[in-house]
Amino acid sequence: MSSYGDYPSGDGRSTVSDEAYHPQGVPAQGRHRQGRVDDDEYMRDVRDRYTASAPPPPAGRARVPVRDGAPGEPSPERRAAAPRRPIPGIGFLRRLGKSRKRKILTIAFAAFIILFGSTAIVVTYFVDNVDMLRPENLPNAQVTKIFADDGKTQLAQLGTENRETIPMSILPDDVKHALIAGEDKDFYNHHGVSISGIVRAAWNNITGGDTQGASTITQQYVKIATKDVEMSIFRKAREAVLARKLEDNYDKETILGFYLNNVYFGRGAIGVQVAARTYFNKNAKDLTIAEAAVLGAVVRQPEETATFAGYDPQLNAEAAKDRWGYVLNNMKDAGWLNDADRNAQQYPKTILPIRKDAGNAQWGLKGVGQTGLVTGNVVNYIAEELKAAPYNIADLKQGGYRITTTIDAKAQAAAESAARRGAPGSLMTGQKANVMAALVAIEPKTGRVLAYYGGDDATGHDYAGKNIENGQLTGGHPAGSSFKIYTLAAALQDGYSLDSHFNPAAFRDGDFEIENAGRDVDESCGTYCTLEWATVHSYNVPFYKVTKLMGVDKVTAMAKAAGITTMWNTGDGKAYDLTSKTFKQTASSPFYYHAGFGQYPITVIDHASGVATFANRGIYNKPHFVLKVEQPVVGTDKFTLVNGEKLAGKQTIDQGVADDVNYVLQKIPGAGGHTLSGSRPVTGKTGTWQCQQTSHNCHAWFVGATKQIAAAVWVGNVGKEQAVYEKSGKDISGAGLPGNIWEKFMNAANKGTAEQRFADKAGVGDPTKQEPGLQEPQKPGKCKWIFFCPTTEPTRRGRG
């Protein structure tokens, strides 16, 4: 296609015959028109020229006077109808196509901006010394420090670099070409500067368009070396000047070494040597063309952002493979691959997965903080939150920032003191080696995560949150009866009442035997028990029945409203994102009625969030870890705020429903022997889940809250699911070790805070809405002589 625009034939030009449009049939001197010029416009132009050269009218011919014009002048109507003479230069633009007009205007605009910034460019050229760009002369990366909410207690430190410099002479040419083809296939043919990239930066800087420009490899290295992240025409101009100076002082091979030894490939890998080991477990010199092209694709955007998943094959397989093909096609275009070699390339079958500690590796986590607290998993959440921040994550790692978290040092210490094996006074001390605990605490009124303990290994499996292992999302644990708080809330929302009655006796529903963990019907209510009673005594049958009556969709919707984001199906092991627009729960699929009493796994942090929402009277606050991010002020010891906390509480559960749930849950801790010091009001719920095909337990929970702190504690096994026992040898249960850990933590974390009461019972729902067909059993009246008392049927008993 020619530069004249979008034309369907020939060279993109259309011609006008000599006679066409010419008045009185006078030839148009063989002239043709170019570009997309409107026919009427061209006709006016021809008429203008003809009129200018036409002879004057015959002598003696009088002009017709007009009423509203000067003597001898044409009327306004005739003036309006007469052809207009073009303004000098405007006809040139009119004759151009839209695409050419846009190009000319863009270039003119960019030229204006560049001229406007010429002073800065001149200063850069004469002041900036190109030697400062040599890798050995670059300033050391400034570590970024992570603090507790007091801004003083350091929890972690970022900034260690995973790099290894290698000489370019050991890399085969094909490997070098594959590494740069996607970014700059003309590397060996230019002098370090991309004019189009500068023009694009100028245009986008004003219009608000995409800030990524087509920089050369040399320009990209300048950006790495100067750590200049400002996206503007002035940054591009300075970058171009320094790139040009770099090209004047060093050969292409040296500049390529500067770039490939310092560019970031994701997964914590800086430079091609570490990248080769990270993705393929081999040295860079041993990479194949196809493998090198994978790295050449990754380098464009190695990590996920809020808007794009990046080009890491494990994070975004389809996009990674597409860009891999783009890299190879560029190699072919540059003459580095012939057709046969290009067609012979196959996408590598083996690319190493992201390590379990990928978040910490990518962030360069260096140990724990000065307190010795195990907060490594918190770094992963910080990275997740800051994806949408107004700066680049890679720069944040080494930019000397201060990140103040929501973690309360006192609460974190209390969590570890209770739940971390080996911590002084820990209740995990002496427990069997396969037993693990996890604890998360959240402030209900804000959603701030006050304490987070996900296991002994801060860079390993997170038992309190989510993990990606072997390409699958893992991390949840069956919640057992502790999940009943969401089922109860769903029932109240659906019109049931705390006083609605159900028969708690075990029964068979198709292929399933629905039982109450081996317990019989309680004599206190027999076969006619309220939902309140079933919650306090943790009977499964009523919750299965009410879930079947409502539909599981009501239960999962309530769980989502409270803060449960993910549930795992125990059949196929698949994780379902309840917050996704594509998630759809029918009355019984993908989760069945067993969801009503907690068969399906959830995470500890989600469960803590759910309890917090109820404690906050149905107002949900998204759990978060970042209070603020501060950037150092160059040349000083001061910092400036670049990102602050944004609270957005939302009423997701009716206040009356939440109040009634809290009313019931306040009756449970004391009944299980887990009251807090003083008379502090507190909610709580136990949960226990049996191992498959056994009568022993694998998972146990205790969750609950004061008005100020909501906490969830899980105790289970490490690795493959197996039975978990207390150190005494008895089966684990929610009221046992998890309840003791929760009580120890809550007493320490709430110490010194005011005692606050929960709202009174709201009494929502209809007490007459109950299990269909259920009849209240007749109670025998009082009689003086037992022989004359009416007889009654004995109470039915079954497994509970």
Side-chain angles (χ1 to χ4, degrees):
M1 182 69 70
S2 75
S3 62
Y4 288 92
D6 303 325
Y7 289 93
S9 62
D11 64 353
R13 309 182 184 190
S14 63
T15 61
V16 182
S17 65
D18 292 344
E19 294 78 21
Y21 308 126
H22 195 283
Q24 302 180 13
V26 179
Q29 305 302 322
R31 183 179 172 196
H32 68 275
R33 68 182 177 100
Q34 298 177 346
R36 293 188 290 187
V37 180
D38 184 87
D39 291 344
D40 292 335
E41 180 182 315
Y42 182 75
M43 182 176 178
R44 288 195 299 270
D45 185 42
V46 173
R47 284 176 175 169
D48 288 343
R49 294 176 181 273
Y50 175 74
T51 303
S53 60
R61 191 168 183 176
R63 295 182 181 272
V64 179
V66 296
R67 290 190 300 258
D68 55 351
E73 291 184 0
S75 69
E77 292 80 2
R78 293 187 64 185
R79 285 201 305 270
R84 299 175 181 271
R85 298 180 65 83
I87 300 174
I90 296 301
F92 164 72
L93 286 175
R94 284 176 175 171
R95 288 190 295 273
L96 289 176
K98 290 182 179 179
S99 60
R100 297 196 70 194
K101 288 179 185 177
R102 188 181 300 110
K103 289 179 181 179
I104 291 174
L105 290 174
T106 300
I107 294 172
F109 169 76
F112 169 75
I113 295 295
I114 294 172
L115 290 173
F116 183 73
S118 60
T119 302
I121 296 173
V122 171
V123 171
T124 296
Y125 190 85
F126 287 104
V127 174
D128 285 345
N129 188 337
V130 75
D131 285 341
M132 72 179 185
L133 300 179
R134 292 188 61 85
E136 63 268 24
N137 294 333
L138 300 183
N140 293 326
Q142 300 180 65
V143 295
T144 289
K145 297 181 179 180
I146 300 176
F147 294 89
D149 63 353
D150 59 9
K152 299 178 181 179
T153 306
Q154 185 178 337
L155 301 176
Q157 178 172 296
L158 309 177
T160 57
E161 294 183 350
N162 186 15
R163 73 164 79 225
E164 183 179 339
T165 301
I166 59 172
M168 290 297 98
S169 58
I170 70 172
L171 290 182
D173 287 343
D174 286 340
V175 170
K176 297 176 191 175
H177 297 159
L179 290 167
I180 66 172
E183 298 299 298
D184 187 3
K185 66 181 179 181
D186 297 320
F187 173 69
Y188 292 103
N189 301 320
H190 60 62
H191 296 288
V193 180
S194 168
I195 298 299
S196 63
I198 296 175
V199 172
R200 186 181 296 106
W203 183 263
N204 289 341
N205 190 238
I206 297 299
T207 62
D210 182 11
T211 56
Q212 295 189 60
S215 297
T216 67
I217 290 294
T218 314
Q219 287 176 272
Q220 290 187 41
Y221 173 69
V222 169
K223 179 183 176 183
I224 294 171
T226 60
K227 292 183 171 58
D228 193 346
V229 298
E230 178 192 4
M231 291 296 182
S232 71
I233 176 58
F234 304 110
R235 191 268 290 174
K236 278 287 185 183
R238 178 173 184 261
E239 183 182 279
V241 172
L242 289 173
R244 188 67 182 85
K245 292 181 70 174
L246 201 65
E247 294 265 349
D248 287 342
N249 286 268
Y250 300 99
D251 59 40
K252 288 287 186 179
E253 201 73 355
T254 301
I255 294 172
L256 184 62
F258 290 170
Y259 172 76
L260 289 180
N261 281 316
N262 289 279
V263 69
Y264 184 60
F265 286 89
R267 303 190 184 187
I270 299 175
V272 64
Q273 175 69 353
V274 177
R277 290 175 177 170
T278 301
Y279 287 84
F280 298 104
N281 195 30
K282 59 172 61 175
N283 291 319
K285 66 182 179 64
D286 299 321
L287 290 170
T288 66
I289 294 175
E291 290 169 342
V294 169
L295 298 183
V298 165
V299 75
R300 178 66 173 177
Q301 184 182 320
E303 294 178 345
E304 185 180 8
T305 66
T307 57
F308 182 62
Y311 291 107
D312 188 308
Q314 187 162 335
L315 296 177
N316 199 357
E318 184 176 353
K321 192 170 183 178
D322 285 346
R323 185 149 185 93
W324 174 83
Y326 170 80
V327 169
L328 293 175
N329 290 338
N330 275 7
M331 292 182 69
K332 176 185 169 184
D333 292 344
W336 296 332
L337 281 182
N338 58 37
D339 288 344
D341 289 338
R342 167 62 185 93
N343 295 332
Q345 300 304 315
Q346 299 292 323
Y347 197 73
K349 293 182 179 179
T350 303
I351 300 176
L352 296 180
I354 298 174
R355 300 198 313 267
K356 291 181 180 179
D357 60 342
N360 294 319
Q362 289 176 1
W363 276 75
L365 179 66
K366 185 179 181 181
V368 296
Q370 60 207 32
T371 60
L373 299 175
V374 181
T375 53
N377 286 315
V378 172
V379 176
N380 294 325
Y381 288 96
I382 293 173
E384 186 71 23
E385 284 185 42
L386 295 181
K387 281 180 182 176
Y391 35 73
N392 188 290
I393 292 296
D395 299 305
L396 187 64
K397 296 175 187 177
Q398 305 176 53
Y401 289 80
R402 286 173 54 94
I403 301 175
T404 303
T405 71
T406 61
I407 297 295
D408 180 284
K410 183 184 78 169
Q412 182 69 28
E416 296 189 26
S417 177
R420 178 163 67 91
R421 188 187 303 273
S426 172
L427 297 176
M428 289 294 293
T429 300
Q431 300 292 341
K432 296 183 182 299
N434 72 299
V435 181
M436 177 62 67
L439 186 156
V440 178
I442 293 175
E443 185 176 61
K445 67 178 181 180
T446 62
R448 294 173 182 171
V449 179
L450 303 176
Y452 190 97
Y453 176 71
D456 296 338
D457 186 355
T459 61
H461 185 88
D462 182 0
Y463 290 92
K466 301 173 186 176
N467 305 267
I468 297 179
E469 296 171 330
N470 299 320
Q472 291 188 334
L473 189 66
T474 66
H477 317 287
S481 292
S482 66
F483 194 85
K484 291 173 182 174
I485 61 176
Y486 310 113
T487 310
L488 176 62
L492 297 177
Q493 187 70 48
D494 198 52
Y496 290 91
S497 163
L498 293 178
D499 296 321
S500 294
H501 288 80
F502 289 82
N503 182 352
F507 75 106
R508 188 171 188 81
D509 186 25
D511 295 333
F512 301 106
E513 187 72 27
I514 311 304
E515 300 178 341
N516 298 301
R519 290 177 293 167
D520 291 331
V521 172
D522 193 283
E523 297 291 347
S524 63
C525 59
T527 60
Y528 194 69
C529 302
T530 64
L531 278 178
E532 179 181 332
W533 179 91
T535 305
V536 173
H537 293 83
S538 206
Y539 271 57
N540 295 336
V541 172
F543 284 92
Y544 180 94
K545 288 181 176 179
V546 76
T547 300
K548 185 174 182 179
L549 289 169
M550 295 186 298
V552 188
D553 54 324
K554 301 286 181 61
V555 177
T556 55
M558 179 58 68
K560 171 189 171 184
I564 306 300
T565 64
T566 309
M567 289 174 62
W568 280 260
N569 188 305
T570 51
D572 58 16
K574 182 178 178 181
Y576 288 86
D577 181 358
L578 304 189
T579 66
S580 170
K581 293 181 180 179
T582 61
F583 172 74
K584 182 174 179 57
Q585 169 71 49
T586 66
S588 61
S589 178
F591 303 110
Y592 200 60
Y593 307 133
H594 299 76
F597 55 85
Q599 172 173 312
Y600 303 106
I602 60 175
T603 64
V604 181
I605 186 172
D606 276 2
H607 214 354
S609 178
V611 177
T613 300
F614 286 111
N616 201 31
R617 304 189 73 188
I619 299 176
Y620 168 74
N621 286 285
K622 185 176 181 180
H624 58 280
F625 289 79
V626 177
L627 279 182
K628 60 180 179 179
V629 179
E630 297 171 290
Q631 184 179 32
V633 178
V634 178
T636 73
D637 59 354
K638 301 184 182 302
F639 291 81
T640 181
L641 181 70
V642 292
N643 194 27
E645 183 183 32
K646 298 177 180 63
L647 301 178
K650 183 178 181 181
Q651 188 86 46
T652 56
I653 301 174
D654 288 350
Q655 189 176 93
V657 170
D659 289 344
D660 277 4
V661 171
N662 289 329
Y663 166 78
V664 175
L665 297 186
Q666 288 179 79
K667 299 184 176 185
I668 296 175
H674 294 298
T675 56
L676 300 187
S677 57
S679 58
R680 188 184 301 275
V682 63
T683 64
K685 185 70 187 79
T686 58
T688 307
W689 194 256
Q690 290 182 356
C691 303
Q692 292 185 6
Q693 310 301 325
T694 77
S695 59
H696 300 288
N697 300 329
C698 285
H699 304 272
W701 295 75
F702 199 101
V703 301
T706 61
K707 289 289 289 182
Q708 296 99 324
I709 301 175
V713 175
W714 165 85
V715 175
N717 57 279
V718 176
K720 186 177 180 181
E721 186 171 277
Q722 56 182 300
V724 177
Y725 304 93
E726 303 264 5
K727 59 183 176 182
S728 63
K730 61 185 283 189
D731 276 348
I732 194 79
S733 67
L737 182 58
N740 295 332
I741 291 174
W742 178 87
E743 180 181 344
K744 178 179 174 68
F745 165 75
M746 290 292 281
N747 272 325
N750 281 281
K751 186 176 182 180
T753 62
E755 294 183 2
Q756 297 181 15
R757 305 192 66 80
F758 290 90
D760 294 335
K761 176 182 177 181
V764 302
D766 179 5
T768 66
K769 185 175 182 179
Q770 58 184 20
E771 180 181 343
L774 188 64
Q775 298 292 326
E776 181 178 4
Q778 291 185 348
K779 296 180 180 180
K782 294 182 179 180
C783 55
K784 186 175 182 179
W785 303 102
I786 191 170
F787 298 104
F788 298 98
C789 290
T791 59
T792 59
E793 293 289 330
T795 302
R796 289 195 299 121
R797 304 175 68 85
R799 295 188 65 193

